[in-house]
Each structure stands twice: as C-alpha cells, then as structure tokens.
Amino acid sequence: MSADWKNPCWNVIAEPGGLAICVTSWCVPCFTYGMNLRHLGDAPEGANVFCAGDMSKACCLYCCATMVGCGCAVHIPARQYIRKKYNISEPTHGILEDVFLTWCCPCCTVTQEYNEIMSRNGGAGGFDDLKKAGNALADDAKKAANTAVVGAKQAVDNAAGSAEKKEE
C-alpha cells in the first residue's frame, strides 16, 4: 500500500531538516537538491535520475538547468524516483502536479524531499548534514584539482617529449 509524504510541501521547517535546510533551500536550492541525490545514492538504470549519488554534479546540473528556466526537467525524475523508492502514492493530478511544484515551488519541494529522505534513512539532518555536505563538496573540488594538475603535467611532459623528438 502506498503512503503519503511524511510532511506536506508547505511545511518547510519540519524536522529533520528544520530551519537550517529551509534557509539553505531558499537561498541555494541546488545545494539541497545535490544533498538529496547524495543521500539517495546511485539510482538504478532506467530511473532517469541525473547525477544520482554525486552531490557536486547534481548541484551544478540543477543550478544550470534552473538558470535557463527548466530546473523542473531535472527535478521531476528525482522526485518520481523518491516517490517510487519510498512507496509514496502518486499525486492526484499526476505529472502536472510535479511540474507545478518543481517549477513554481522548487525550494519547498527540495525541502520536502530532503525531510523525506532523511526521516526514512534515519540520518541526522540540519546543520550537521550541511557541514558534511560542505566537506563532501570540498573533497570533490580537491579531487578535481588534483586530476587537473596531473593532466596538465602529462600535457607538459608530452609537449617536452615532442620538442625533443623534433630537435633530433
């Protein structure tokens, strides 16, 4: 039997996220969206959840999609996956309801999804989770920087090797 969301979409200060996630979602909804996908982990093939399990990529994708006015195109598959994963009943008005909520109220929907994921997974929400998420982003940035440095060194070495061959 399907259940409903634990909190309605408008209850943005509900626990486990509380005020911390409410403010985060209002100021940078892409960050909360990224945290949601990090907590969901890898989605199975066919779920159409873009960047599932990777907070950095999910955050960037959602931000870019929102900037061009189509954040709901990225958000709806994630919302549908959350609904399926936790056996939450389909909305009364089907996909139209998801379009309306993710387009017109994205801050409320990412907060609702966060609270649902955290309450089902039993994790600590709010400020503690924001700190962990910030550390995860910092680690991702360090890895990306190290990869870029290694790539740059290889390019320099290749160029130096090509120059030596030309001189011979």
Side-chain angles (χ1 to χ4, degrees), residues 8-25:
C9 193
W10 50 265
N11 192 359
V12 293
I13 58 170
E15 293 299 329
L19 188 59
I21 298 302
C22 175
V23 171
T24 301
S25 297

Side-chain angles (χ1 to χ4, degrees), residues 36 39-40 82 86 113-121:
N36 289 348
H39 289 301
L40 283 175
I82 293 166
Y86 298 119
E113 293 159 5
Y114 175 87
N115 288 333
E116 191 73 30
I117 293 165
M118 295 307 287
S119 65
R120 302 276 183 138
N121 292 351

